[in-house]
Amino acid sequence: MNPEQQARQQIDAKLVASEWAVQDYKAFIFRINTSIMQGGSKVEAGFYVDKREHRTRKVSLEQLHEVLAYDADNLDRDVVAPDQIRTVLATNADISDASLWRV
């Protein structure tokens, strides 16, 4: 056992003695659902979007001439929604910070 693992064991033992529940972060599984993940969304005509060529991965900025509607199946495959990614990361950070809860 390395020094970090030994320290973690000692800290966890003290937290349990203080009536804190210690959760194993590796066993903690959660799902985050956003409205876009459940039902898709649309991007209005006139907005500028990044377009990536699949073969070369080259990114170019293009203006949409018509509404781009997409469903949840297209998300992260054909469409990337930066706000949705930020929401997932922020929620994950909030959950990680709350890894110890009072019993």
Side-chain angles (χ1 to χ4, degrees), residues 48-90:
Y48 286 88
V49 296
D50 288 336
K51 294 272 188 157
R52 183 182 310 260
E53 188 178 322
H54 291 284
R55 190 174 48 78
T56 64
R57 312 286 294 160
K58 180 182 176 189
V59 179
S60 60
L61 190 64
E62 292 185 17
Q63 185 176 23
L64 292 177
H65 298 293
E66 53 188 48
V67 174
L68 171 65
Y70 59 92
D71 60 19
D73 292 335
N74 297 114
L75 188 62
D76 296 329
R77 187 173 310 135
D78 299 325
V79 177
V80 175
D83 288 340
Q84 182 252 351
I85 293 169
R86 280 191 280 277
T87 299
V88 170
L89 292 175

Short mmCIF file of all heavy atoms in Angstrom, two decimals, residues 48-90:
data_model
loop_
_atom_site.label_atom_id
_atom_site.label_comp_id
_atom_site.label_asym_id
_atom_site.label_seq_id
_atom_site.Cartn_x
_atom_site.Cartn_y
_atom_site.Cartn_z
N TYR A 48 -23.84 31.23 -36.17
CA TYR A 48 -22.58 30.67 -36.67
C TYR A 48 -22.25 29.43 -35.85
O TYR A 48 -22.36 29.44 -34.63
CB TYR A 48 -21.45 31.69 -36.56
CG TYR A 48 -21.55 32.78 -37.61
CD1 TYR A 48 -22.29 33.93 -37.36
CD2 TYR A 48 -20.93 32.63 -38.84
CE1 TYR A 48 -22.40 34.92 -38.32
CE2 TYR A 48 -21.04 33.62 -39.80
CZ TYR A 48 -21.77 34.76 -39.54
OH TYR A 48 -21.87 35.72 -40.50
N VAL A 49 -21.86 28.38 -36.54
CA VAL A 49 -21.52 27.12 -35.87
C VAL A 49 -20.19 26.60 -36.39
O VAL A 49 -19.79 26.90 -37.51
CB VAL A 49 -22.62 26.04 -36.10
CG1 VAL A 49 -23.93 26.45 -35.46
CG2 VAL A 49 -22.81 25.76 -37.57
N ASP A 50 -19.51 25.84 -35.55
CA ASP A 50 -18.28 25.17 -35.97
C ASP A 50 -18.67 23.92 -36.75
O ASP A 50 -19.49 23.14 -36.29
CB ASP A 50 -17.44 24.74 -34.77
CG ASP A 50 -16.77 25.90 -34.08
OD1 ASP A 50 -16.57 26.94 -34.73
OD2 ASP A 50 -16.45 25.77 -32.88
N LYS A 51 -18.09 23.75 -37.91
CA LYS A 51 -18.29 22.54 -38.70
C LYS A 51 -16.95 21.81 -38.75
O LYS A 51 -15.92 22.42 -39.03
CB LYS A 51 -18.73 22.87 -40.13
CG LYS A 51 -20.09 23.51 -40.22
CD LYS A 51 -21.15 22.45 -40.32
CE LYS A 51 -22.48 23.12 -40.62
NZ LYS A 51 -23.40 22.23 -41.23
N ARG A 52 -16.97 20.52 -38.47
CA ARG A 52 -15.74 19.73 -38.49
C ARG A 52 -15.83 18.68 -39.59
O ARG A 52 -16.79 17.92 -39.65
CB ARG A 52 -15.52 19.05 -37.15
CG ARG A 52 -14.21 18.27 -37.08
CD ARG A 52 -14.03 17.56 -35.76
NE ARG A 52 -14.25 18.42 -34.63
CZ ARG A 52 -13.28 18.99 -33.91
NH1 ARG A 52 -12.02 18.79 -34.24
NH2 ARG A 52 -13.57 19.74 -32.88
N GLU A 53 -14.83 18.66 -40.43
CA GLU A 53 -14.77 17.65 -41.47
C GLU A 53 -14.33 16.33 -40.82
O GLU A 53 -13.31 16.29 -40.12
CB GLU A 53 -13.78 18.06 -42.56
CG GLU A 53 -13.82 17.14 -43.76
CD GLU A 53 -12.87 17.60 -44.85
OE1 GLU A 53 -12.73 18.81 -45.07
OE2 GLU A 53 -12.28 16.70 -45.49
N HIS A 54 -15.09 15.30 -41.03
CA HIS A 54 -14.83 14.02 -40.35
C HIS A 54 -13.47 13.42 -40.70
O HIS A 54 -12.78 12.90 -39.84
CB HIS A 54 -15.94 13.00 -40.65
CG HIS A 54 -17.23 13.37 -40.03
ND1 HIS A 54 -17.49 13.20 -38.70
CD2 HIS A 54 -18.35 13.93 -40.56
CE1 HIS A 54 -18.70 13.62 -38.42
NE2 HIS A 54 -19.25 14.08 -39.53
N ARG A 55 -13.10 13.49 -41.96
CA ARG A 55 -11.87 12.84 -42.39
C ARG A 55 -10.62 13.57 -41.90
O ARG A 55 -9.71 12.97 -41.35
CB ARG A 55 -11.85 12.72 -43.92
CG ARG A 55 -10.72 11.85 -44.45
CD ARG A 55 -10.81 11.64 -45.96
NE ARG A 55 -11.02 12.82 -46.76
CZ ARG A 55 -10.06 13.71 -47.08
NH1 ARG A 55 -8.84 13.54 -46.66
NH2 ARG A 55 -10.34 14.75 -47.83
N THR A 56 -10.58 14.90 -42.05
CA THR A 56 -9.38 15.66 -41.70
C THR A 56 -9.45 16.29 -40.32
O THR A 56 -8.45 16.76 -39.80
CB THR A 56 -9.13 16.78 -42.72
OG1 THR A 56 -10.22 17.71 -42.66
CG2 THR A 56 -8.97 16.22 -44.12
N ARG A 57 -10.65 16.34 -39.74
CA ARG A 57 -10.90 16.98 -38.44
C ARG A 57 -10.73 18.49 -38.49
O ARG A 57 -10.65 19.14 -37.48
CB ARG A 57 -10.01 16.39 -37.34
CG ARG A 57 -9.96 14.88 -37.26
CD ARG A 57 -11.18 14.25 -36.71
NE ARG A 57 -11.36 14.60 -35.30
CZ ARG A 57 -12.52 14.50 -34.68
NH1 ARG A 57 -13.56 14.05 -35.32
NH2 ARG A 57 -12.65 14.83 -33.44
N LYS A 58 -10.66 19.06 -39.70
CA LYS A 58 -10.52 20.50 -39.86
C LYS A 58 -11.82 21.19 -39.43
O LYS A 58 -12.91 20.75 -39.79
CB LYS A 58 -10.20 20.84 -41.31
CG LYS A 58 -10.05 22.33 -41.57
CD LYS A 58 -9.79 22.60 -43.03
CE LYS A 58 -9.75 24.11 -43.24
NZ LYS A 58 -9.71 24.46 -44.64
N VAL A 59 -11.68 22.27 -38.67
CA VAL A 59 -12.84 23.01 -38.16
C VAL A 59 -12.96 24.32 -38.91
O VAL A 59 -11.98 25.04 -39.10
CB VAL A 59 -12.71 23.28 -36.65
CG1 VAL A 59 -13.90 24.08 -36.14
CG2 VAL A 59 -12.58 21.98 -35.89
N SER A 60 -14.19 24.63 -39.34
CA SER A 60 -14.45 25.91 -39.99
C SER A 60 -15.73 26.51 -39.41
O SER A 60 -16.60 25.78 -38.92
CB SER A 60 -14.57 25.73 -41.51
OG SER A 60 -15.64 24.86 -41.81
N LEU A 61 -15.83 27.81 -39.46
CA LEU A 61 -17.00 28.51 -38.94
C LEU A 61 -17.96 28.78 -40.09
O LEU A 61 -17.56 29.34 -41.12
CB LEU A 61 -16.55 29.83 -38.30
CG LEU A 61 -17.58 30.60 -37.50
CD1 LEU A 61 -18.02 29.78 -36.29
CD2 LEU A 61 -17.01 31.94 -37.05
N GLU A 62 -19.20 28.36 -39.94
CA GLU A 62 -20.20 28.55 -40.99
C GLU A 62 -21.48 29.11 -40.40
O GLU A 62 -21.85 28.79 -39.27
CB GLU A 62 -20.52 27.22 -41.68
CG GLU A 62 -19.39 26.66 -42.51
CD GLU A 62 -19.80 25.41 -43.26
OE1 GLU A 62 -21.02 25.15 -43.41
OE2 GLU A 62 -18.89 24.69 -43.70
N GLN A 63 -22.17 29.93 -41.17
CA GLN A 63 -23.45 30.47 -40.75
C GLN A 63 -24.56 29.54 -41.25
O GLN A 63 -24.55 29.14 -42.42
CB GLN A 63 -23.65 31.88 -41.31
CG GLN A 63 -24.92 32.54 -40.80
CD GLN A 63 -25.05 33.96 -41.28
OE1 GLN A 63 -24.47 34.35 -42.29
NE2 GLN A 63 -25.83 34.74 -40.57
N LEU A 64 -25.50 29.23 -40.36
CA LEU A 64 -26.63 28.38 -40.75
C LEU A 64 -27.61 29.19 -41.58
O LEU A 64 -27.98 30.30 -41.22
CB LEU A 64 -27.34 27.83 -39.52
CG LEU A 64 -26.58 26.83 -38.67
CD1 LEU A 64 -27.41 26.44 -37.44
CD2 LEU A 64 -26.23 25.59 -39.47
N HIS A 65 -28.06 28.62 -42.70
CA HIS A 65 -29.04 29.28 -43.55
C HIS A 65 -30.45 28.80 -43.25
O HIS A 65 -31.42 29.42 -43.70
CB HIS A 65 -28.69 29.06 -45.03
CG HIS A 65 -27.37 29.65 -45.40
ND1 HIS A 65 -27.13 31.00 -45.41
CD2 HIS A 65 -26.19 29.07 -45.72
CE1 HIS A 65 -25.88 31.23 -45.74
NE2 HIS A 65 -25.27 30.07 -45.93
N GLU A 66 -30.56 27.71 -42.54
CA GLU A 66 -31.88 27.21 -42.12
C GLU A 66 -31.74 26.61 -40.73
O GLU A 66 -30.63 26.37 -40.24
CB GLU A 66 -32.42 26.18 -43.11
CG GLU A 66 -31.48 25.04 -43.41
CD GLU A 66 -32.00 24.16 -44.53
OE1 GLU A 66 -32.42 24.69 -45.57
OE2 GLU A 66 -31.98 22.93 -44.34
N VAL A 67 -32.85 26.39 -40.09
CA VAL A 67 -32.86 25.85 -38.73
C VAL A 67 -32.22 24.47 -38.73
O VAL A 67 -32.49 23.64 -39.59
CB VAL A 67 -34.31 25.76 -38.18
CG1 VAL A 67 -34.34 25.06 -36.83
CG2 VAL A 67 -34.91 27.16 -38.07
N LEU A 68 -31.35 24.23 -37.75
CA LEU A 68 -30.73 22.91 -37.58
C LEU A 68 -31.39 22.25 -36.37
O LEU A 68 -31.16 22.65 -35.23
CB LEU A 68 -29.22 23.04 -37.35
CG LEU A 68 -28.49 21.76 -36.94
CD1 LEU A 68 -28.53 20.74 -38.06
CD2 LEU A 68 -27.06 22.06 -36.55
N ALA A 69 -32.27 21.30 -36.63
CA ALA A 69 -32.93 20.56 -35.55
C ALA A 69 -32.23 19.22 -35.39
O ALA A 69 -31.83 18.60 -36.37
CB ALA A 69 -34.40 20.35 -35.88
N TYR A 70 -32.05 18.82 -34.16
CA TYR A 70 -31.41 17.53 -33.89
C TYR A 70 -32.07 16.88 -32.69
O TYR A 70 -32.64 17.53 -31.83
CB TYR A 70 -29.90 17.70 -33.67
CG TYR A 70 -29.53 18.61 -32.52
CD1 TYR A 70 -29.32 18.10 -31.25
CD2 TYR A 70 -29.39 19.97 -32.71
CE1 TYR A 70 -28.98 18.93 -30.20
CE2 TYR A 70 -29.05 20.80 -31.67
CZ TYR A 70 -28.84 20.28 -30.41
OH TYR A 70 -28.52 21.10 -29.37
N ASP A 71 -32.02 15.54 -32.68
CA ASP A 71 -32.59 14.82 -31.54
C ASP A 71 -31.47 14.30 -30.65
O ASP A 71 -30.29 14.47 -30.93
CB ASP A 71 -33.53 13.70 -32.01
CG ASP A 71 -32.84 12.66 -32.87
OD1 ASP A 71 -31.61 12.58 -32.84
OD2 ASP A 71 -33.55 11.92 -33.58
N ALA A 72 -31.86 13.66 -29.58
CA ALA A 72 -30.88 13.20 -28.59
C ALA A 72 -29.88 12.22 -29.18
O ALA A 72 -28.72 12.17 -28.74
CB ALA A 72 -31.61 12.57 -27.40
N ASP A 73 -30.29 11.45 -30.17
CA ASP A 73 -29.38 10.47 -30.78
C ASP A 73 -28.23 11.15 -31.55
O ASP A 73 -27.16 10.56 -31.70
CB ASP A 73 -30.13 9.54 -31.73
CG ASP A 73 -31.09 8.62 -30.99
OD1 ASP A 73 -30.85 8.36 -29.80
OD2 ASP A 73 -32.07 8.17 -31.61
N ASN A 74 -28.47 12.35 -32.05
CA ASN A 74 -27.43 13.08 -32.80
C ASN A 74 -26.45 13.81 -31.87
O ASN A 74 -25.36 14.17 -32.30
CB ASN A 74 -28.06 14.11 -33.73
CG ASN A 74 -28.93 13.47 -34.77
OD1 ASN A 74 -30.13 13.68 -34.76
ND2 ASN A 74 -28.35 12.69 -35.66
N LEU A 75 -26.85 14.02 -30.63
CA LEU A 75 -26.02 14.77 -29.69
C LEU A 75 -24.71 14.03 -29.44
O LEU A 75 -24.70 12.82 -29.21
CB LEU A 75 -26.78 14.96 -28.38
CG LEU A 75 -26.14 15.89 -27.37
CD1 LEU A 75 -26.01 17.30 -27.93
CD2 LEU A 75 -26.94 15.91 -26.09
N ASP A 76 -23.62 14.75 -29.51
CA ASP A 76 -22.26 14.26 -29.30
C ASP A 76 -21.78 13.35 -30.43
O ASP A 76 -20.65 12.91 -30.41
CB ASP A 76 -22.09 13.55 -27.96
CG ASP A 76 -22.31 14.49 -26.79
OD1 ASP A 76 -22.01 15.69 -26.95
OD2 ASP A 76 -22.78 14.05 -25.74
N ARG A 77 -22.63 13.07 -31.39
CA ARG A 77 -22.20 12.31 -32.56
C ARG A 77 -22.10 13.27 -33.75
O ARG A 77 -21.06 13.39 -34.37
CB ARG A 77 -23.19 11.20 -32.87
CG ARG A 77 -22.72 10.28 -33.98
CD ARG A 77 -23.61 9.07 -34.17
NE ARG A 77 -23.87 8.39 -32.91
CZ ARG A 77 -25.07 7.97 -32.52
NH1 ARG A 77 -26.12 8.15 -33.29
NH2 ARG A 77 -25.24 7.35 -31.38
N ASP A 78 -23.20 13.96 -34.03
CA ASP A 78 -23.23 14.92 -35.13
C ASP A 78 -23.26 16.37 -34.64
O ASP A 78 -22.92 17.28 -35.39
CB ASP A 78 -24.47 14.68 -36.01
CG ASP A 78 -24.46 13.29 -36.62
OD1 ASP A 78 -23.37 12.80 -36.96
OD2 ASP A 78 -25.54 12.70 -36.76
N VAL A 79 -23.70 16.56 -33.41
CA VAL A 79 -23.85 17.90 -32.85
C VAL A 79 -23.20 17.94 -31.48
O VAL A 79 -23.39 17.04 -30.67
CB VAL A 79 -25.36 18.25 -32.70
CG1 VAL A 79 -25.53 19.61 -32.06
CG2 VAL A 79 -26.06 18.19 -34.05
N VAL A 80 -22.43 19.00 -31.23
CA VAL A 80 -21.83 19.20 -29.92
C VAL A 80 -22.43 20.47 -29.33
O VAL A 80 -22.41 21.52 -29.97
CB VAL A 80 -20.30 19.34 -30.00
CG1 VAL A 80 -19.71 19.66 -28.65
CG2 VAL A 80 -19.69 18.07 -30.57
N ALA A 81 -23.00 20.36 -28.15
CA ALA A 81 -23.61 21.50 -27.47
C ALA A 81 -22.72 21.90 -26.28
O ALA A 81 -22.78 21.26 -25.24
CB ALA A 81 -25.02 21.15 -27.00
N PRO A 82 -21.90 22.95 -26.43
CA PRO A 82 -20.99 23.34 -25.35
C PRO A 82 -21.69 23.61 -24.02
O PRO A 82 -21.17 23.26 -22.96
CB PRO A 82 -20.31 24.59 -25.89
CG PRO A 82 -20.40 24.46 -27.38
CD PRO A 82 -21.71 23.78 -27.61
N ASP A 83 -22.88 24.22 -24.04
CA ASP A 83 -23.59 24.48 -22.79
C ASP A 83 -23.96 23.19 -22.08
O ASP A 83 -23.93 23.10 -20.86
CB ASP A 83 -24.85 25.31 -23.03
CG ASP A 83 -24.54 26.75 -23.39
OD1 ASP A 83 -23.40 27.19 -23.09
OD2 ASP A 83 -25.39 27.42 -23.96
N GLN A 84 -24.33 22.18 -22.86
CA GLN A 84 -24.68 20.89 -22.28
C GLN A 84 -23.45 20.25 -21.65
O GLN A 84 -23.51 19.70 -20.57
CB GLN A 84 -25.28 19.99 -23.36
CG GLN A 84 -25.73 18.65 -22.87
CD GLN A 84 -24.82 17.53 -23.34
OE1 GLN A 84 -23.94 17.70 -24.16
NE2 GLN A 84 -25.01 16.37 -22.78
N ILE A 85 -22.30 20.37 -22.29
CA ILE A 85 -21.05 19.82 -21.75
C ILE A 85 -20.70 20.55 -20.45
O ILE A 85 -20.34 19.92 -19.46
CB ILE A 85 -19.91 19.94 -22.78
CG1 ILE A 85 -20.20 19.03 -23.98
CG2 ILE A 85 -18.57 19.58 -22.15
CD1 ILE A 85 -19.29 19.25 -25.16
N ARG A 86 -20.84 21.89 -20.44
CA ARG A 86 -20.57 22.65 -19.21
C ARG A 86 -21.50 22.23 -18.08
O ARG A 86 -21.08 22.13 -16.92
CB ARG A 86 -20.71 24.15 -19.49
CG ARG A 86 -19.50 24.76 -20.15
CD ARG A 86 -19.60 26.28 -20.15
NE ARG A 86 -20.47 26.77 -21.21
CZ ARG A 86 -20.08 26.96 -22.46
NH1 ARG A 86 -18.85 26.70 -22.82
NH2 ARG A 86 -20.91 27.43 -23.35
N THR A 87 -22.77 21.98 -18.39
CA THR A 87 -23.73 21.55 -17.37
C THR A 87 -23.31 20.22 -16.76
O THR A 87 -23.32 20.06 -15.54
CB THR A 87 -25.14 21.42 -17.97
OG1 THR A 87 -25.54 22.69 -18.47
CG2 THR A 87 -26.15 20.94 -16.95
N VAL A 88 -22.92 19.27 -17.59
CA VAL A 88 -22.49 17.96 -17.10
C VAL A 88 -21.25 18.10 -16.23
O VAL A 88 -21.16 17.53 -15.14
CB VAL A 88 -22.26 16.98 -18.27
CG1 VAL A 88 -21.58 15.70 -17.79
CG2 VAL A 88 -23.57 16.67 -18.96
N LEU A 89 -20.26 18.89 -16.68
CA LEU A 89 -19.03 19.06 -15.91
C LEU A 89 -19.30 19.76 -14.58
O LEU A 89 -18.75 19.38 -13.55
CB LEU A 89 -18.00 19.83 -16.72
CG LEU A 89 -17.43 19.09 -17.93
CD1 LEU A 89 -16.51 20.00 -18.72
CD2 LEU A 89 -16.71 17.83 -17.51
N ALA A 90 -20.14 20.78 -14.58
CA ALA A 90 -20.45 21.49 -13.34
C ALA A 90 -21.20 20.58 -12.37
O ALA A 90 -20.92 20.59 -11.16
CB ALA A 90 -21.28 22.74 -13.64
#
